[in-house]
Amino acid sequence: MSNRRRLERFVRSKLQEAGEEYAEIRRSADGQLAEARDAYRTAKNARRLPSDEEGRAKIVCRRHAERRAVMLDEAFRPACFEADHPDCESCAEDVQAGRIETW
């Protein structure tokens, strides 16, 4: 095999590797950007909730069908949140989406 063909194959393989690395980094960056946008949207929606003088969100609890003033945790779930309870799960999703019933 001639030196020219070896050089061409070497350059081609390096360019292929560089292209694959770029594609992988691009996918990772796109995923991180999507996560950041979702986190921003969730935080913005949760901050819009009406609150009392102590900073607690004024929501209507679906599980107990009553008005509550509750603190939100770092995931913007109400303090009364109970994992695996369907009413609590949908309440937390609606708080994050900004469509929870308030008072």
Side-chain angles (χ1 to χ4, degrees), residues 32-53:
Q32 290 174 359
L33 181 60
E35 288 176 18
R37 283 183 177 148
D38 288 342
Y40 173 78
R41 189 178 312 111
T42 297
K44 184 174 88 175
N45 290 337
R47 297 279 184 241
R48 288 184 181 168
L49 295 175
S51 59
D52 64 5
E53 59 280 347

Side-chain angles (χ1 to χ4, degrees), residues 15 19-20 29 31-32 39 41 45 52 60 62 68 71 78-79 84 89 91 95-96:
L15 288 174
E20 290 170 358
Q32 290 174 359
R41 189 178 312 111
N45 290 337
D52 64 5
V60 176
R62 291 190 179 161
R68 288 190 176 185
M71 294 300 294
D84 298 326
E89 294 285 341
C91 177
V95 166
Q96 294 169 357

Side-chain angles (χ1 to χ4, degrees), residues 34-99:
E35 288 176 18
R37 283 183 177 148
D38 288 342
Y40 173 78
R41 189 178 312 111
T42 297
K44 184 174 88 175
N45 290 337
R47 297 279 184 241
R48 288 184 181 168
L49 295 175
S51 59
D52 64 5
E53 59 280 347
E54 295 176 23
R56 298 176 299 186
K58 296 174 163 182
I59 64 170
V60 176
C61 175
R62 291 190 179 161
R63 185 173 182 185
H64 300 285
E66 64 185 13
R67 293 179 176 180
R68 288 190 176 185
V70 295
M71 294 300 294
L72 301 178
D73 67 7
E74 64 277 350
F76 302 104
R77 295 178 303 217
C80 56
F81 176 80
E82 207 174 292
D84 298 326
H85 192 282
D87 289 336
C88 292
E89 294 285 341
S90 64
C91 177
E93 289 171 5
D94 285 351
V95 166
Q96 294 169 357
R99 60 178 182 254

